[in-house]
Amino acid sequence: MLREVRAGRVLPPAELVALHDCAGRVLAEDILADRDYPPLARSARDGFAVRAADFPGSVRVIGEVRAGDRFQGAVQAGEAVEIMTGAPVPDGTDSIIMVEHITGEGAAITTDRPVKSGDFINLRGCESPRGSVVLRAGSRLDYAGLAMLATVGRTLAPVYRKPRVAILATGDEIVDVDELPMEHQIRNSNSASLAAQVARAGGSALILPVARDTYKATRESIALGLQADLLLLSGGVSAGKYDIVEKVLAEFDAEFFFDRVLIQPGQPLVFGRAGGKFFFGLPGNPASTMITFELFARAAVALLSGASESPLHLLQARLTREFRHRPGLTRFLPAVLSIDGSQITPTGWQGSGDVGAMARANAFLVAEPERESWAAGDLMRVLAK
Ligand code: AMP
Ligand code: MG
């Protein structure tokens, strides 16, 4: 799937966005260091700038230098300058002795430790020399990325425009959230969860009106959806008589890359391309829609937003109680991960229509298809929510 999207994607145009609005956006160009970082040799500790050759021994303190200042003059053999973290290293010195490692009397400091040239000094340009790439095109800007942009003086950054992702829920039983459903009807929760997932993956969600399970309605809605950069459908991809999404997509000369995956929830998942646009037909049960988005569509949204990669957040934790399942499919069960990330407890759930269980979970337990049971205390894979 990633291969197809990578090969077939059309990257959105770039736009310049203000630094403070760039979190989560994807860089469209490499960002270069505007000067050496650090711009001059800098002390990494509070202590004394010295000449290593004078130690072990005693030297005379001739002044001080703090961050934001420079020491005037040069330091000679037998001399030291008191220095604060981040301050420029005075000319003539080649190492820093930590304040904790000296004994002092009057203007003299002493240490019986050997001192190596370069100790606790960050040399000019050691982090990023001027002109080097500090952030790569295709990387998603997180808080550290914003710090880097700020460091190199970028008040505006070139990022890709967000891809437009159309969301199309299907189903005769589905009503809008602001409607009062009859007993046999269900409010449209999938468009809400998908819009939030799309936004988190870096896309701009466009919720289309719910399509009824007729060829005409589904056809018209899909035509509209294929005008976006990516189309996400929910429902209508199982084997039922009114599951017509695949048939209607076929009318659009769709190329289908797969229409089933060996996971649960989410088996009948359709992925393909029509009219040059990728689409996913996600199964309609809310848990299936959420999980298949996370496992498949999320990466597609990320790639279409220009990101070069989008790894899944998988970790491992110990089960707090025994767990078993029927082998054959990889299962994703709503679960609660302890605050330190070490322990995982499956939440009870009533199957893939149980929105409450999904909302209460903060992670998913991943049960591999070849194993049947896990004891309390066993390590198990966990997908972060
Ligand atoms: P389907 O995949 O169309 O067979 O839908 C399976 C089940 O998922 C339906 O019976 C509904 O209970 C539920 N469902 C489908 N679409 C939605 C939706 N947009 N919001 C909430 N539940 C849905
Ligand atoms: Mg349906």
PDB file of all heavy atoms in Angstrom, residues 164-190:
ATOM      1  N   ARG A 164      -6.465  17.527   0.863  1.00  0.00           N
ATOM      2  CA  ARG A 164      -7.889  17.520   1.202  1.00  0.00           C
ATOM      3  C   ARG A 164      -8.385  16.089   1.199  1.00  0.00           C
ATOM      4  O   ARG A 164      -8.212  15.352   0.218  1.00  0.00           O
ATOM      5  CB  ARG A 164      -8.673  18.355   0.185  1.00  0.00           C
ATOM      6  CG  ARG A 164      -8.434  19.869   0.364  1.00  0.00           C
ATOM      7  CD  ARG A 164      -8.863  20.638  -0.858  1.00  0.00           C
ATOM      8  NE  ARG A 164      -8.131  20.137  -2.025  1.00  0.00           N
ATOM      9  CZ  ARG A 164      -8.677  19.890  -3.211  1.00  0.00           C
ATOM     10  NH1 ARG A 164      -9.940  20.097  -3.431  1.00  0.00           N
ATOM     11  NH2 ARG A 164      -7.935  19.423  -4.205  1.00  0.00           N
ATOM     12  N   VAL A 165      -8.957  15.668   2.280  1.00  0.00           N
ATOM     13  CA  VAL A 165      -9.411  14.285   2.418  1.00  0.00           C
ATOM     14  C   VAL A 165     -10.930  14.286   2.582  1.00  0.00           C
ATOM     15  O   VAL A 165     -11.460  14.792   3.580  1.00  0.00           O
ATOM     16  CB  VAL A 165      -8.739  13.601   3.627  1.00  0.00           C
ATOM     17  CG1 VAL A 165      -9.192  12.148   3.739  1.00  0.00           C
ATOM     18  CG2 VAL A 165      -7.220  13.675   3.510  1.00  0.00           C
ATOM     19  N   ALA A 166     -11.621  13.751   1.575  1.00  0.00           N
ATOM     20  CA  ALA A 166     -13.082  13.697   1.629  1.00  0.00           C
ATOM     21  C   ALA A 166     -13.514  12.493   2.458  1.00  0.00           C
ATOM     22  O   ALA A 166     -12.940  11.408   2.342  1.00  0.00           O
ATOM     23  CB  ALA A 166     -13.646  13.606   0.218  1.00  0.00           C
ATOM     24  N   ILE A 167     -14.511  12.708   3.318  1.00  0.00           N
ATOM     25  CA  ILE A 167     -15.023  11.637   4.177  1.00  0.00           C
ATOM     26  C   ILE A 167     -16.471  11.392   3.794  1.00  0.00           C
ATOM     27  O   ILE A 167     -17.305  12.299   3.844  1.00  0.00           O
ATOM     28  CB  ILE A 167     -14.911  12.052   5.658  1.00  0.00           C
ATOM     29  CG1 ILE A 167     -13.432  12.193   6.026  1.00  0.00           C
ATOM     30  CG2 ILE A 167     -15.617  11.044   6.559  1.00  0.00           C
ATOM     31  CD1 ILE A 167     -13.202  12.757   7.401  1.00  0.00           C
ATOM     32  N   LEU A 168     -16.755  10.153   3.393  1.00  0.00           N
ATOM     33  CA  LEU A 168     -18.089   9.825   2.906  1.00  0.00           C
ATOM     34  C   LEU A 168     -18.627   8.609   3.659  1.00  0.00           C
ATOM     35  O   LEU A 168     -18.200   7.481   3.415  1.00  0.00           O
ATOM     36  CB  LEU A 168     -18.020   9.535   1.398  1.00  0.00           C
ATOM     37  CG  LEU A 168     -19.301   9.059   0.736  1.00  0.00           C
ATOM     38  CD1 LEU A 168     -20.448  10.048   0.967  1.00  0.00           C
ATOM     39  CD2 LEU A 168     -19.079   8.861  -0.763  1.00  0.00           C
ATOM     40  N   ALA A 169     -19.531   8.862   4.605  1.00  0.00           N
ATOM     41  CA  ALA A 169     -20.188   7.756   5.312  1.00  0.00           C
ATOM     42  C   ALA A 169     -21.361   7.281   4.457  1.00  0.00           C
ATOM     43  O   ALA A 169     -22.043   8.098   3.824  1.00  0.00           O
ATOM     44  CB  ALA A 169     -20.676   8.232   6.668  1.00  0.00           C
ATOM     45  N   THR A 170     -21.557   5.965   4.403  1.00  0.00           N
ATOM     46  CA  THR A 170     -22.684   5.415   3.639  1.00  0.00           C
ATOM     47  C   THR A 170     -23.574   4.623   4.580  1.00  0.00           C
ATOM     48  O   THR A 170     -23.103   4.101   5.598  1.00  0.00           O
ATOM     49  CB  THR A 170     -22.201   4.474   2.525  1.00  0.00           C
ATOM     50  OG1 THR A 170     -21.691   3.268   3.130  1.00  0.00           O
ATOM     51  CG2 THR A 170     -21.121   5.102   1.667  1.00  0.00           C
ATOM     52  N   GLY A 171     -24.842   4.497   4.234  1.00  0.00           N
ATOM     53  CA  GLY A 171     -25.727   3.614   4.995  1.00  0.00           C
ATOM     54  C   GLY A 171     -27.113   4.197   5.181  1.00  0.00           C
ATOM     55  O   GLY A 171     -27.243   5.363   5.569  1.00  0.00           O
ATOM     56  N   ASP A 172     -28.122   3.385   4.889  1.00  0.00           N
ATOM     57  CA  ASP A 172     -29.518   3.833   5.042  1.00  0.00           C
ATOM     58  C   ASP A 172     -29.882   4.069   6.506  1.00  0.00           C
ATOM     59  O   ASP A 172     -30.813   4.811   6.803  1.00  0.00           O
ATOM     60  CB  ASP A 172     -30.473   2.780   4.450  1.00  0.00           C
ATOM     61  CG  ASP A 172     -30.460   2.815   2.929  1.00  0.00           C
ATOM     62  OD1 ASP A 172     -29.989   3.836   2.373  1.00  0.00           O
ATOM     63  OD2 ASP A 172     -30.887   1.830   2.312  1.00  0.00           O
ATOM     64  N   GLU A 173     -29.153   3.416   7.416  1.00  0.00           N
ATOM     65  CA  GLU A 173     -29.499   3.531   8.834  1.00  0.00           C
ATOM     66  C   GLU A 173     -28.831   4.715   9.519  1.00  0.00           C
ATOM     67  O   GLU A 173     -29.059   4.981  10.694  1.00  0.00           O
ATOM     68  CB  GLU A 173     -29.131   2.222   9.563  1.00  0.00           C
ATOM     69  CG  GLU A 173     -27.641   2.004   9.866  1.00  0.00           C
ATOM     70  CD  GLU A 173     -26.800   1.528   8.667  1.00  0.00           C
ATOM     71  OE1 GLU A 173     -27.140   1.868   7.512  1.00  0.00           O
ATOM     72  OE2 GLU A 173     -25.794   0.836   8.891  1.00  0.00           O
ATOM     73  N   ILE A 174     -27.965   5.423   8.791  1.00  0.00           N
ATOM     74  CA  ILE A 174     -27.145   6.466   9.418  1.00  0.00           C
ATOM     75  C   ILE A 174     -27.845   7.835   9.326  1.00  0.00           C
ATOM     76  O   ILE A 174     -28.279   8.246   8.252  1.00  0.00           O
ATOM     77  CB  ILE A 174     -25.770   6.572   8.717  1.00  0.00           C
ATOM     78  CG1 ILE A 174     -25.115   5.188   8.598  1.00  0.00           C
ATOM     79  CG2 ILE A 174     -24.862   7.556   9.432  1.00  0.00           C
ATOM     80  CD1 ILE A 174     -24.935   4.459   9.913  1.00  0.00           C
ATOM     81  N   VAL A 175     -27.950   8.516  10.446  1.00  0.00           N
ATOM     82  CA  VAL A 175     -28.526   9.864  10.438  1.00  0.00           C
ATOM     83  C   VAL A 175     -27.496  10.865  10.968  1.00  0.00           C
ATOM     84  O   VAL A 175     -26.535  10.482  11.643  1.00  0.00           O
ATOM     85  CB  VAL A 175     -29.832   9.966  11.279  1.00  0.00           C
ATOM     86  CG1 VAL A 175     -30.894   9.017  10.752  1.00  0.00           C
ATOM     87  CG2 VAL A 175     -29.553   9.706  12.761  1.00  0.00           C
ATOM     88  N   ASP A 176     -27.717  12.137  10.644  1.00  0.00           N
ATOM     89  CA  ASP A 176     -26.784  13.177  11.102  1.00  0.00           C
ATOM     90  C   ASP A 176     -26.811  13.287  12.628  1.00  0.00           C
ATOM     91  O   ASP A 176     -27.814  12.972  13.268  1.00  0.00           O
ATOM     92  CB  ASP A 176     -27.152  14.528  10.480  1.00  0.00           C
ATOM     93  CG  ASP A 176     -26.692  14.599   9.027  1.00  0.00           C
ATOM     94  OD1 ASP A 176     -25.764  13.854   8.668  1.00  0.00           O
ATOM     95  OD2 ASP A 176     -27.278  15.396   8.263  1.00  0.00           O
ATOM     96  N   VAL A 177     -25.735  13.804  13.180  1.00  0.00           N
ATOM     97  CA  VAL A 177     -25.578  13.887  14.631  1.00  0.00           C
ATOM     98  C   VAL A 177     -26.676  14.743  15.270  1.00  0.00           C
ATOM     99  O   VAL A 177     -27.125  14.479  16.384  1.00  0.00           O
ATOM    100  CB  VAL A 177     -24.178  14.460  14.968  1.00  0.00           C
ATOM    101  CG1 VAL A 177     -23.969  14.570  16.461  1.00  0.00           C
ATOM    102  CG2 VAL A 177     -23.087  13.594  14.348  1.00  0.00           C
ATOM    103  N   ASP A 178     -27.128  15.767  14.550  1.00  0.00           N
ATOM    104  CA  ASP A 178     -28.136  16.657  15.149  1.00  0.00           C
ATOM    105  C   ASP A 178     -29.572  16.163  14.928  1.00  0.00           C
ATOM    106  O   ASP A 178     -30.508  16.840  15.281  1.00  0.00           O
ATOM    107  CB  ASP A 178     -27.962  18.090  14.624  1.00  0.00           C
ATOM    108  CG  ASP A 178     -28.052  18.167  13.112  1.00  0.00           C
ATOM    109  OD1 ASP A 178     -28.262  17.107  12.469  1.00  0.00           O
ATOM    110  OD2 ASP A 178     -27.908  19.271  12.558  1.00  0.00           O
ATOM    111  N   GLU A 179     -29.720  14.981  14.344  1.00  0.00           N
ATOM    112  CA  GLU A 179     -31.071  14.422  14.176  1.00  0.00           C
ATOM    113  C   GLU A 179     -31.400  13.502  15.339  1.00  0.00           C
ATOM    114  O   GLU A 179     -30.500  12.946  15.971  1.00  0.00           O
ATOM    115  CB  GLU A 179     -31.153  13.611  12.883  1.00  0.00           C
ATOM    116  CG  GLU A 179     -31.299  14.462  11.638  1.00  0.00           C
ATOM    117  CD  GLU A 179     -31.344  13.580  10.403  1.00  0.00           C
ATOM    118  OE1 GLU A 179     -32.181  12.651  10.356  1.00  0.00           O
ATOM    119  OE2 GLU A 179     -30.505  13.806   9.504  1.00  0.00           O
ATOM    120  N   LEU A 180     -32.711  13.321  15.595  1.00  0.00           N
ATOM    121  CA  LEU A 180     -33.128  12.378  16.629  1.00  0.00           C
ATOM    122  C   LEU A 180     -33.346  11.022  15.945  1.00  0.00           C
ATOM    123  O   LEU A 180     -34.273  10.886  15.148  1.00  0.00           O
ATOM    124  CB  LEU A 180     -34.415  12.872  17.286  1.00  0.00           C
ATOM    125  CG  LEU A 180     -34.828  12.076  18.527  1.00  0.00           C
ATOM    126  CD1 LEU A 180     -33.793  12.224  19.641  1.00  0.00           C
ATOM    127  CD2 LEU A 180     -36.193  12.544  19.010  1.00  0.00           C
ATOM    128  N   PRO A 181     -32.464  10.037  16.232  1.00  0.00           N
ATOM    129  CA  PRO A 181     -32.592   8.773  15.499  1.00  0.00           C
ATOM    130  C   PRO A 181     -33.785   7.949  15.984  1.00  0.00           C
ATOM    131  O   PRO A 181     -34.115   7.964  17.166  1.00  0.00           O
ATOM    132  CB  PRO A 181     -31.286   8.049  15.811  1.00  0.00           C
ATOM    133  CG  PRO A 181     -30.759   8.669  17.046  1.00  0.00           C
ATOM    134  CD  PRO A 181     -31.346  10.034  17.180  1.00  0.00           C
ATOM    135  N   MET A 182     -34.424   7.245  15.049  1.00  0.00           N
ATOM    136  CA  MET A 182     -35.429   6.271  15.458  1.00  0.00           C
ATOM    137  C   MET A 182     -34.680   5.038  15.940  1.00  0.00           C
ATOM    138  O   MET A 182     -33.461   4.933  15.788  1.00  0.00           O
ATOM    139  CB  MET A 182     -36.350   5.989  14.272  1.00  0.00           C
ATOM    140  CG  MET A 182     -37.224   7.200  13.970  1.00  0.00           C
ATOM    141  SD  MET A 182     -38.510   6.853  12.772  1.00  0.00           S
ATOM    142  CE  MET A 182     -37.655   7.126  11.235  1.00  0.00           C
ATOM    143  N   GLU A 183     -35.418   4.076  16.505  1.00  0.00           N
ATOM    144  CA  GLU A 183     -34.742   2.929  17.122  1.00  0.00           C
ATOM    145  C   GLU A 183     -33.834   2.174  16.161  1.00  0.00           C
ATOM    146  O   GLU A 183     -32.803   1.637  16.548  1.00  0.00           O
ATOM    147  CB  GLU A 183     -35.779   1.974  17.713  1.00  0.00           C
ATOM    148  CG  GLU A 183     -36.082   2.326  19.153  1.00  0.00           C
ATOM    149  CD  GLU A 183     -36.984   1.317  19.809  1.00  0.00           C
ATOM    150  OE1 GLU A 183     -37.654   0.553  19.076  1.00  0.00           O
ATOM    151  OE2 GLU A 183     -37.030   1.289  21.046  1.00  0.00           O
ATOM    152  N   HIS A 184     -34.217   2.122  14.919  1.00  0.00           N
ATOM    153  CA  HIS A 184     -33.440   1.351  13.947  1.00  0.00           C
ATOM    154  C   HIS A 184     -32.377   2.201  13.256  1.00  0.00           C
ATOM    155  O   HIS A 184     -31.752   1.762  12.303  1.00  0.00           O
ATOM    156  CB  HIS A 184     -34.389   0.757  12.892  1.00  0.00           C
ATOM    157  CG  HIS A 184     -35.200   1.806  12.198  1.00  0.00           C
ATOM    158  ND1 HIS A 184     -36.324   2.388  12.766  1.00  0.00           N
ATOM    159  CD2 HIS A 184     -35.019   2.413  11.011  1.00  0.00           C
ATOM    160  CE1 HIS A 184     -36.806   3.292  11.926  1.00  0.00           C
ATOM    161  NE2 HIS A 184     -36.036   3.327  10.869  1.00  0.00           N
ATOM    162  N   GLN A 185     -32.180   3.411  13.746  1.00  0.00           N
ATOM    163  CA  GLN A 185     -31.190   4.295  13.127  1.00  0.00           C
ATOM    164  C   GLN A 185     -30.003   4.555  14.059  1.00  0.00           C
ATOM    165  O   GLN A 185     -30.111   4.390  15.265  1.00  0.00           O
ATOM    166  CB  GLN A 185     -31.856   5.626  12.751  1.00  0.00           C
ATOM    167  CG  GLN A 185     -32.916   5.445  11.672  1.00  0.00           C
ATOM    168  CD  GLN A 185     -33.605   6.751  11.338  1.00  0.00           C
ATOM    169  OE1 GLN A 185     -33.915   7.548  12.226  1.00  0.00           O
ATOM    170  NE2 GLN A 185     -33.868   6.964  10.054  1.00  0.00           N
ATOM    171  N   ILE A 186     -28.912   4.985  13.466  1.00  0.00           N
ATOM    172  CA  ILE A 186     -27.669   5.213  14.221  1.00  0.00           C
ATOM    173  C   ILE A 186     -27.103   6.563  13.815  1.00  0.00           C
ATOM    174  O   ILE A 186     -27.116   6.913  12.636  1.00  0.00           O
ATOM    175  CB  ILE A 186     -26.641   4.106  13.858  1.00  0.00           C
ATOM    176  CG1 ILE A 186     -27.118   2.763  14.392  1.00  0.00           C
ATOM    177  CG2 ILE A 186     -25.257   4.414  14.407  1.00  0.00           C
ATOM    178  CD1 ILE A 186     -26.266   1.623  13.921  1.00  0.00           C
ATOM    179  N   ARG A 187     -26.624   7.315  14.790  1.00  0.00           N
ATOM    180  CA  ARG A 187     -26.006   8.606  14.440  1.00  0.00           C
ATOM    181  C   ARG A 187     -24.654   8.359  13.767  1.00  0.00           C
ATOM    182  O   ARG A 187     -23.961   7.391  14.074  1.00  0.00           O
ATOM    183  CB  ARG A 187     -25.818   9.467  15.690  1.00  0.00           C
ATOM    184  CG  ARG A 187     -27.118   9.964  16.274  1.00  0.00           C
ATOM    185  CD  ARG A 187     -26.868  11.097  17.259  1.00  0.00           C
ATOM    186  NE  ARG A 187     -28.115  11.529  17.886  1.00  0.00           N
ATOM    187  CZ  ARG A 187     -28.548  11.072  19.063  1.00  0.00           C
ATOM    188  NH1 ARG A 187     -27.836  10.203  19.740  1.00  0.00           N
ATOM    189  NH2 ARG A 187     -29.694  11.512  19.558  1.00  0.00           N
ATOM    190  N   ASN A 188     -24.306   9.264  12.893  1.00  0.00           N
ATOM    191  CA  ASN A 188     -23.061   9.137  12.135  1.00  0.00           C
ATOM    192  C   ASN A 188     -21.858   9.480  13.024  1.00  0.00           C
ATOM    193  O   ASN A 188     -21.496  10.636  13.183  1.00  0.00           O
ATOM    194  CB  ASN A 188     -23.122  10.089  10.934  1.00  0.00           C
ATOM    195  CG  ASN A 188     -21.841  10.080  10.120  1.00  0.00           C
ATOM    196  OD1 ASN A 188     -20.967   9.226  10.337  1.00  0.00           O
ATOM    197  ND2 ASN A 188     -21.725  11.008   9.187  1.00  0.00           N
ATOM    198  N   SER A 189     -21.241   8.461  13.597  1.00  0.00           N
ATOM    199  CA  SER A 189     -20.049   8.729  14.421  1.00  0.00           C
ATOM    200  C   SER A 189     -18.769   8.574  13.597  1.00  0.00           C
ATOM    201  O   SER A 189     -17.732   9.137  13.948  1.00  0.00           O
ATOM    202  CB  SER A 189     -20.005   7.789  15.631  1.00  0.00           C
ATOM    203  OG  SER A 189     -19.842   6.449  15.229  1.00  0.00           O
ATOM    204  N   ASN A 190     -18.838   7.836  12.509  1.00  0.00           N
ATOM    205  CA  ASN A 190     -17.599   7.588  11.742  1.00  0.00           C
ATOM    206  C   ASN A 190     -17.024   8.857  11.123  1.00  0.00           C
ATOM    207  O   ASN A 190     -15.798   9.024  11.073  1.00  0.00           O
ATOM    208  CB  ASN A 190     -17.848   6.562  10.637  1.00  0.00           C
ATOM    209  CG  ASN A 190     -17.975   5.158  11.198  1.00  0.00           C
ATOM    210  OD1 ASN A 190     -17.652   4.927  12.359  1.00  0.00           O
ATOM    211  ND2 ASN A 190     -18.442   4.228  10.384  1.00  0.00           N
TER     212      ASN A 190
END
